[in-house]
């Protein structure tokens, strides 16, 4: 008799005792079908399979690594873009992920939360990362004088579609720069600050490899130019632009320019001005000589504190969770617009989330109507339910079915009232 009584009690209370577990309604997880995945290093930004999204979404979710102080090999970068735009500004709308190997396996991420990149660690790289296609880069940029062969190769590059009048390359001005992982390079001519082709260095740019850079001169406009060519074949040209005291940027005129290359250093050390050229030209009717120097600044990666500060500095940016009911899955490349998608009214979703999480597990579901799906999106994770109703004369029961678990939940009477307060269009 006692054994039968214990069995009955355990059966009745299986969700809350006797070794059983309460079924949790809200179980947010990655939803790969909501994302476009692209390989940023392929010629056509090749679209990757949805299965890649889970690894990329997991990247950089642990405590960040504050710095990488070693030579590393940079592998491919991948970008995630959410297919459906869920808000005017969503910090989780995209994520750029780069895999890097030094003494440890690093992953570097950038998203809408902070302008700084965040570094994480991984035990091993995902299978789709091609470790045979990496680019090794130094902890600080290296710099060297270019060779005559490199100068000749740059002269043979076709810039005819850029300039109406010929801009002649100046002999013996070529330098070769191998970028580092994360920083910027600044140019100064005398006391004036200029803009340099490699002014911003980020992990994604490492795939360009070393850059060969030479100077050109336009006799008519009196403007000097940087000509650059990367190992990856990228060609670029930039006039030498100086920033005035009023923060106004404009190309500088160098009348009668003569250039001497004076580079002696082998690397650009952080904060150290490195002489590269001497410019001689006429300024305000006088002959002047000015040193041209490069200075490397090593940028910091994000920390938990800096990310939190960036979030707090943007209080108007909406934060999750977001809750939607909709007719078709949110995996299309479209803005979430009425009437195809209804967004929960208001900003604070806490009452609605409580109503969903307090729903009870049941064995039946209601009738599926036009709006047949409910989706919760909170950051990089979310959850989709099938939505159904049982309409009675005086009330409407609301059911949510989790297709992954084949489990249906029914909102309480109070929970249903809360639900319709967020989605009043569905009450009728």
């Amino acid at each position: 008799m006692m054994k039968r009584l214990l069995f009955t009690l355990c059966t009745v209370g299986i969700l809350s005792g006797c070794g059983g577990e309460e079924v949790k309604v809200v179980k947010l997880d990655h939803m790969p079908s909501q994302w476009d995945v692209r390989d940023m290093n392929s010629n056509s930004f090749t679209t990757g399979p949805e299965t890649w999204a889970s690894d990329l979404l997991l990247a950089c979710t642990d405590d960040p690594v504050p710095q990488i102080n070693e030579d590393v090999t940079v592998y491919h970068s991948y970008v995630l873009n959410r297919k459906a735009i869920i808000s005017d500004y969503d910090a989780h709308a995209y994520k750029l992920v780069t895999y890097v190997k030094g003494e440890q396996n690093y992953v570097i991420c950038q998203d809408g939360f902070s302008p700084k990149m965040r570094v994480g660690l991984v035990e091993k790289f995902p299978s789709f990362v091609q470790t045979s296609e990496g680019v090794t880069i130094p902890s600080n940029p290296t710099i060297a004088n270019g060779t005559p062969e490199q100068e000749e190769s740059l002269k043979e590059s076709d810039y005819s579609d850029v300039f109406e009048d010929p801009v002649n390359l100046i002999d013996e001005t070529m330098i070769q720069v191998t970028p580092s992982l994360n920083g910027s390079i600044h140019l100064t001519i005398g006391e004036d600050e200029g803009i340099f082709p490699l002014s911003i260095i980020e992990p994604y740019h490492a795939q360009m490899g070393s850059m060969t850079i030479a100077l050109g001169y336009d006799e008519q406009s009196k403007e000097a130019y940087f000509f650059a060519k990367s190992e990856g074949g990228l060609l670029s040209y930039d006039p030498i632009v100086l920033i005035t005291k009023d923060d106004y940027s404009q190309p500088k005129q160098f009348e009668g320019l003569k250039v001497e290359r004076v580079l002696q250093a082998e690397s650009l050390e952080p904060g150290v001005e490195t002489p590269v050229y001497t410019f001689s030209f006429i300024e305000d009717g006088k002959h002047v000589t000015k040193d041209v120097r490069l200075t490397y600044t090593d940028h910091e990666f994000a920390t938990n504190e800096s990310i939190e500060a960036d979030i707090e500095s943007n209080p108007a940016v909406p934060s999750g969770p977001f809750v939607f009911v909709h007719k078709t899955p949110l995996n299309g490349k479209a803005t979430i617009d009425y009437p195809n998608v209804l967004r929960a009214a208001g900003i604070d979703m806490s009452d609605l989330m409580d109503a969903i999480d307090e729903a009870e597990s049941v064995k039946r579901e209601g009738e599926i109507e036009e709006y047949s799906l409910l989706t919760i999106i909170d950051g990089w994770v979310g959850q989709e339910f099938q939505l159904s109703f049982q309409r009675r004369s005086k009330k409407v029961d609301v059911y949510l079915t989790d297709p992954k678990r084949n489990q249906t939940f029914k909102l309480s009477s109070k929970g249903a009232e809360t639900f319709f307060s967020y989605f009043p269009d569905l009450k009728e």
Side-chain angles (χ1 to χ4, degrees):
M1 180 67 181
M2 182 60 71
K3 291 182 179 179
R4 182 178 300 175
L5 177 60
L6 287 173
F7 176 78
T8 302
L9 289 173
C10 284
T11 303
V12 172
I14 192 168
L15 297 183
S16 59
C18 295
E21 291 184 359
E22 183 179 353
V23 178
K24 186 173 177 61
V25 182
V26 177
K27 294 188 67 174
L28 303 182
D29 199 357
H30 297 133
M31 303 176 69
S33 63
Q34 290 192 352
W35 299 90
D36 267 334
V37 183
R38 294 188 181 274
D39 182 346
M40 297 298 289
N41 298 105
S42 64
N43 292 331
S44 58
F45 296 146
T46 304
T47 301
E50 291 178 355
T51 53
W52 292 6
S54 292
D55 286 301
L56 297 171
L57 289 167
L58 279 170
C60 305
T61 53
D62 294 329
D63 287 336
V65 175
Q67 197 55 273
I68 300 177
N69 296 313
E70 57 176 315
D71 296 355
V72 295
T73 300
V74 179
Y75 301 115
H76 279 204
S77 295
Y78 304 86
V79 66
L80 288 163
N81 285 293
R82 195 186 293 279
K83 294 177 182 178
I85 301 174
I86 67 170
S87 176
D88 293 338
Y89 179 79
D90 174 21
H92 298 91
Y94 77 95
K95 188 175 187 178
L96 179 64
V97 181
T98 304
Y99 291 92
V100 176
K101 186 172 183 61
E103 293 184 1
Q104 303 181 83
N105 295 326
Y106 300 101
V107 60
I108 302 176
C109 305
Q110 195 164 23
D111 53 41
F113 273 114
S114 171
K116 291 183 179 179
M117 291 171 289
R118 179 170 178 160
V119 181
L121 297 174
V122 291
E123 290 187 9
K124 63 178 182 179
F125 295 134
S127 59
F128 56 81
V129 178
Q130 300 298 317
T131 55
S132 61
E133 301 177 6
V135 175
T136 300
I137 58 175
S139 56
N140 293 327
T142 61
I143 189 167
N145 291 322
T147 65
E149 292 77 16
Q150 289 172 330
E151 287 196 24
E152 192 61 34
S153 175
L154 190 60
K155 286 180 181 179
E156 293 173 357
S157 300
D158 185 10
Y159 291 89
S160 61
D161 59 336
V162 176
F163 301 104
E164 295 182 2
D165 299 316
V167 175
N168 298 317
L169 288 174
I170 303 174
D171 290 337
E172 298 184 1
T173 60
M174 175 167 284
I175 59 175
Q176 180 172 311
V177 180
T178 302
S180 62
L181 191 64
N182 181 28
S184 59
I185 297 177
H186 303 279
L187 171 78
T188 51
I189 300 178
E191 300 301 319
D192 298 322
E193 184 178 352
I195 297 175
F196 190 64
L198 291 177
S199 57
I200 300 296
I201 302 170
E202 295 182 350
Y204 169 65
H205 297 147
Q207 296 294 332
M208 294 189 304
S210 297
M211 299 287 293
T212 50
I213 298 168
L215 294 174
Y217 185 65
D218 186 332
E219 294 282 355
Q220 295 186 10
S221 68
K222 311 302 181 186
E223 294 176 354
Y225 286 81
F226 283 113
F227 286 75
K229 184 176 183 180
S230 72
E231 288 180 336
L234 177 67
L235 294 172
S236 66
Y237 72 98
D238 293 280
I240 292 181
V241 174
L242 298 182
I243 303 174
T244 67
K245 295 179 180 178
D246 299 325
D247 289 333
Y248 179 70
S249 302
Q250 61 181 5
K252 169 76 174 178
Q253 289 187 321
F254 300 92
E255 184 179 350
L257 178 65
K258 302 296 181 183
V259 180
E260 180 185 0
R261 185 176 57 193
V262 296
L263 175 65
Q264 299 293 326
E266 296 182 352
S267 66
L268 298 178
E269 300 299 323
V272 177
E273 291 189 341
T274 301
V276 181
Y277 304 112
T278 298
F279 278 12
S280 299
F281 56 97
I282 297 174
E283 186 176 56
D284 298 330
K286 299 180 181 179
H287 286 277
V288 297
T289 299
K290 295 188 178 182
D291 293 331
V292 180
R293 304 174 302 279
L294 297 180
T295 305
Y296 171 63
T297 300
D298 190 11
H299 289 179
E300 295 181 351
F301 289 104
T303 62
N304 283 329
E305 292 75 16
S306 69
I307 293 172
E308 188 65 30
D310 289 330
I311 295 172
E312 291 178 355
S313 67
N314 292 285
V317 174
S319 58
F322 302 95
V323 184
F324 307 92
V325 296
H326 43 106
K327 299 176 182 179
T328 56
L330 300 183
N331 56 10
K333 300 177 183 178
T335 303
I336 297 179
D337 285 332
Y338 178 87
N340 296 316
V341 180
L342 305 179
R343 178 172 170 173
I347 298 174
D348 186 356
M349 296 292 113
S350 57
D351 289 344
L352 178 56
M353 292 297 293
D354 288 343
I356 294 172
D357 211 24
E358 292 169 3
E360 295 183 354
S361 177
V362 294
K363 292 185 176 181
R364 58 160 295 177
E365 58 188 56
E367 298 293 330
I368 296 175
E369 299 181 359
E370 183 179 23
Y371 290 96
S372 59
L373 298 166
L374 180 145
T375 295
I376 302 168
I377 294 176
D378 192 1
W380 305 117
V381 295
Q383 188 173 6
E384 184 180 85
F385 295 95
Q386 179 180 283
L387 177 64
S388 59
F389 304 93
Q390 183 65 49
R391 297 189 180 272
R392 304 169 187 263
S393 59
K394 294 185 178 180
K395 70 172 187 174
V396 182
D397 294 331
V398 181
Y399 297 87
L400 299 174
T401 300
D402 184 342
K404 287 186 176 181
R405 294 179 285 173
N406 193 28
Q407 180 70 54
T408 299
F409 305 92
K410 178 186 175 183
L411 272 62
S412 67
S413 296
K414 182 179 178 181
E417 291 178 6
T418 300
F419 173 85
F420 288 119
S421 72
Y422 282 86
F423 295 103
D425 292 356
L426 299 181
K427 184 68 180 288
E428 301 176 356

